[in-house]
Amino acid sequence: MTGEPLLDVRDLVVTYAGDAGDAGDAGGAGDVRAVDGVSFAVHAGETVALVGESGCGKTSVAWALMRVMAPAARVGAGSSVTFDGADLFALEERAMRDLRGRKIAMIFQEPASALNPVMKVGAQVAEVALLHGERSKRAAWDKAVAMLDRTGIADAARRAHQYPHELSGGMRQRVLIAMALMMRPALVIADEPTSALDVTVQAQILDLLRDLQRETGMAVLFITHDFGVVAELCSRAIVMRAGKIVEDAPVDEIFHAPKDPYTAELLRAVPRLAADR
Amino acid sequence: MIDSLGPKIEDRSSKIHVSVDHLTHEYPARHALFGAPSAPTRAVNDVSFAIARGETLALVGESGCGKTTTGRAILRLIEPSSGGVTFDGIDVLGLAREPLRKLRRRMQVVFQDPNTSLDPRMRVGLTVREGIEAHEIAEGAAADARVARALEEVGLRASDAAKLPHEFSGGQRQRIAIARALAVEPEFVVLDEAVSALDVTVQAQVLALLMQLQRDRGLTYLFIAHNLAVVERIATRVAVMYLGRIVEIADAAKLYASPQHGYTKALLSAVPVPDPRVRKKRLTWDGT
């Protein structure tokens, strides 16, 4: 890749205050280093997988990038994240809030808990536009319906008036995608967005993300444990283990000539249909 | 001719271990405050199959298809609305409380999430020991020895009996759940998404363990799962469920090589291929 990266992560460290440690001190003895010196870059329009097993630190990276952290979590003093030229960790909370949702958006695994159960889904999508400068409620609602329609929700104008519990899991995930893409962000961080879905629904959502990515030119950081999904959607994969990056390479290399023995071990363990071998 | 056919047929029927006949389970209608009640939901709709001794029948399908309800009805963890279940010829659904309790020693279950199925405040040894004592298999030092053996058989240490569940990883906790189920020496085990929550490397180990235990003890499994690639590793036969019904049942090799039903085809085509050089043609199923 040439040119300045859209996202440049340097030496990211995230620690969680442990029982034995002093919560006020990032260097406490009982602290757990969930992310232990991670550096990588994402260029505009790229789809990059951040892949690894549970507890490897991939989700902690995502939360740190969004600057939405658990109270016990601390970012290391030497860590830096540059997004579109701005130093994310130096931004005022106000500026960060403006960036979040407008330029960087996130899609979560569990649409059921990420959506407000007592608010119409159309209003939740429209709210993103209202938070980011749209003055007319009518215009925001129309944009929301158009966006819901774009994510493949049939009869979007009617569905917009429904509540989350009236929609299927796949449809709820489409609503979250609509919310994330409302402001046409330059970067979407997707944290296991299809892991809770059935395979047939997952296949549809992956197709949708691929189409939207092509259409909008957004970059996607796709956090997953599923190598099948990595192969389907991503051009590059970053493999994490125990808070560190063990390998960062184009997917073809990851799958066909992994350099790190841990990557190779993971790939051997991935269950695959005999017919697909 | 007749002579040679006779024993063969008998042979086959005597191998049937668990039989499910026209099983149906309805969840009652939801009553709205006003207006007519909705129709009852048929979670399981006229399901029939037989499992031979020593085989692994996989029950696959997407969420809400009725596979878990079917497994629970067989064990009578829920009372099905209608139909029959026999275990070595015993009418499971007709059993009174005490004979059912005795039969439970022979049929066990392992659930998906060991975090909710293991008591967090109970030492692992006690968890495994509970069943041994409840079924009066052993007591005292003999029970301790059985607990130790059960833990060692699933790849843990006898000394782990003194620990609490939170001291173990997710994969180890699932091994504890398996040890608990196998400690009472069952013949039939329902594995309800038993490896679904595990990381792939751990999942492969636990699958290998389950297959090893099956060979050693001649166990029969009902393997309930949604992941078709995992099922292919362990299943002898596969039953595919869709909206409460079995749409296809076949030997595993045959089902994967030449699926017959449109839904099975769609399900197989949706499994992502862990190889960026391969693009699979996706098939859809319109539900008719």
Side-chain angles (χ1 to χ4, degrees):
Chain A
M1 282 281 164
T2 51
E4 286 291 299
L6 177 67
L7 176 76
D8 195 2
V9 179
R10 297 261 173 97
D11 201 26
L12 181 64
V13 172
V14 179
T15 52
Y16 288 86
D19 296 339
D22 176 3
D25 172 13
D31 288 0
V32 178
R33 268 181 178 245
V35 181
D36 192 7
V38 157
S39 302
F40 65 92
V42 177
H43 288 79
E46 237 191 332
T47 303
V48 180
L50 194 57
V51 61
E53 299 198 292
S54 49
C56 74
K58 55 191 192 296
T59 293
S60 292
V61 170
W63 293 109
L65 298 182
M66 292 297 281
R67 269 182 51 185
V68 277
M69 315 256 297
R74 299 271 181 286
V75 168
S79 307
S80 90
V81 175
T82 311
F83 173 78
D84 203 14
D87 177 356
L88 277 197
F89 291 147
L91 285 183
E92 299 273 333
E93 182 50 37
R94 210 186 138 84
M96 187 65 208
R97 217 178 304 144
D98 177 59
L99 203 76
R100 235 184 264 135
R102 195 163 59 82
K103 288 179 132 182
I104 309 181
M106 191 150 176
I107 305 170
F108 300 93
Q109 173 171 0
E110 289 288 349
S113 50
L115 290 169
N116 183 341
V118 295
M119 194 172 170
K120 288 177 180 176
V121 294
Q124 299 191 51
V125 181
E127 194 180 39
V128 180
L130 293 169
L131 278 173
H132 291 285
E134 176 59 62
R135 297 254 169 80
S136 153
K137 281 193 171 177
R138 183 73 239 172
W141 181 270
D142 291 345
K143 273 187 193 170
V145 171
M147 200 63 227
L148 288 170
D149 179 63
R150 182 62 203 88
T151 61
I153 292 181
D155 202 2
R158 184 177 64 84
R159 291 287 186 187
H161 286 282
Q162 292 188 313
Y163 294 90
H165 76 269
E166 296 175 86
L167 307 182
S168 68
M171 253 193 273
R172 284 197 289 253
Q173 195 53 278
R174 289 176 198 268
V175 173
L176 277 199
I177 292 170
M179 284 171 75
L181 300 192
M182 191 68 170
M183 304 309 296
R184 301 237 160 187
L187 174 68
V188 171
I189 300 173
D191 188 7
E192 304 266 15
T194 62
S195 301
L197 304 175
D198 284 325
V199 279
T200 52
V201 181
Q202 168 173 282
Q204 294 163 8
I205 297 290
L206 291 179
D207 286 344
L208 170 66
L209 285 172
R210 196 182 298 116
D211 289 351
L212 291 171
Q213 199 266 336
R214 213 171 280 155
E215 185 187 309
T216 65
M218 65 186 180
V220 180
L221 183 63
F222 200 96
I223 294 158
T224 182
H225 67 280
D226 187 336
F227 275 92
V229 170
V230 175
E232 291 261 340
L233 197 68
C234 303
S235 57
R236 190 156 62 86
I238 299 168
V239 183
M240 280 188 74
R241 181 192 199 178
K244 290 186 192 314
I245 291 174
V246 299
E247 190 159 2
D248 178 349
V251 283
D252 198 72
E253 203 176 308
I254 292 277
F255 283 84
H256 290 282
K259 289 205 170 59
D260 187 85
Y262 176 69
T263 308
E265 186 197 333
L266 273 183
L267 282 165
R268 269 197 305 277
V270 173
R272 59 186 81 203
L273 294 174
D276 294 339
R277 267 173 225 152
Chain B
M1 259 326 253
I2 290 166
D3 276 349
S4 67
L5 268 177
K8 250 188 199 160
I9 291 167
E10 208 179 84
D11 220 359
R12 174 140 185 98
S13 65
S14 70
K15 273 202 282 184
I16 289 180
H17 187 36
V18 178
S19 158
V20 175
D21 305 292
H22 303 290
L23 191 74
T24 295
H25 189 65
E26 289 178 344
Y27 287 104
R30 259 194 269 177
H31 289 270
L33 192 52
F34 302 104
S38 60
T41 313
R42 285 225 161 135
V44 178
N45 197 347
D46 196 24
V47 161
S48 299
F49 57 82
I51 313 176
R53 195 170 272 280
E55 81 167 344
T56 299
L57 176 73
L59 206 49
V60 306
E62 301 195 292
S63 48
C65 73
K67 56 191 191 295
T68 288
T69 306
T70 301
R72 287 179 189 204
I74 292 171
L75 299 170
R76 256 182 88 185
L77 298 175
I78 56 167
E79 299 287 344
S81 313
S82 65
V85 175
T86 61
F87 182 90
D88 275 352
I90 303 164
D91 172 13
V92 177
L93 302 184
L95 282 184
R97 209 186 145 108
E98 188 51 26
L100 176 65
R101 197 187 69 81
K102 287 214 166 95
L103 187 67
R104 285 249 165 83
R105 175 184 173 180
R106 300 171 66 190
M107 27 194 247
Q108 289 286 309
V109 60
V110 178
F111 295 109
Q112 170 168 2
D113 188 355
N115 297 326
T116 51
S117 68
L118 296 177
D119 184 336
R121 292 153 307 174
M122 197 186 261
R123 295 196 187 280
V124 161
L126 269 181
T127 293
V128 176
R129 200 190 164 102
E130 244 183 350
I132 296 172
E133 289 185 338
H135 290 288
E136 294 161 12
I137 296 164
E139 51 183 16
D144 290 338
R146 269 182 183 265
V147 169
R149 201 166 69 223
L151 289 173
E152 281 166 357
E153 251 187 327
V154 298
L156 298 169
R157 282 187 303 244
S159 59
D160 287 335
K163 294 184 185 163
L164 289 166
H166 78 261
E167 297 176 66
F168 297 90
S169 67
Q172 286 172 326
R173 281 198 285 265
Q174 198 57 304
R175 285 170 193 268
I176 294 165
I178 294 167
R180 174 177 59 182
L182 296 189
V184 298
E185 295 177 357
E187 295 153 60
F188 172 62
V189 184
V190 174
L191 300 160
D192 188 357
E193 300 276 13
V195 301
S196 306
L198 304 175
D199 280 325
V200 287
T201 50
V202 182
Q203 185 180 63
Q205 292 161 8
V206 174
L207 270 180
L209 169 70
L210 288 170
M211 294 194 290
Q212 180 65 46
L213 291 166
Q214 181 175 44
R215 275 194 298 273
D216 293 350
R217 300 185 174 202
L219 291 167
T220 305
Y221 290 149
L222 178 65
F223 191 87
I224 298 170
H226 68 279
N227 187 324
L228 285 158
V230 169
V231 164
E232 194 180 23
R233 283 193 182 181
I234 193 169
T236 327
R237 278 191 309 137
V238 181
V240 181
M241 281 188 80
Y242 179 71
L243 297 182
R245 290 178 186 275
I246 290 181
V247 296
E248 182 165 6
I249 182 163
D251 284 340
K254 193 164 162 264
L255 184 120
Y256 283 93
S258 57
Q260 297 299 304
H261 196 275
Y263 179 65
T264 313
K265 289 178 190 173
L267 211 52
L268 282 166
S269 80
V271 178
V273 190
D275 184 345
R277 292 181 190 171
V278 180
R279 279 282 168 268
K280 200 156 61 169
K281 187 175 161 24
R282 276 193 195 126
L283 304 167
T284 51
W285 163 244
D286 59 6
T288 51

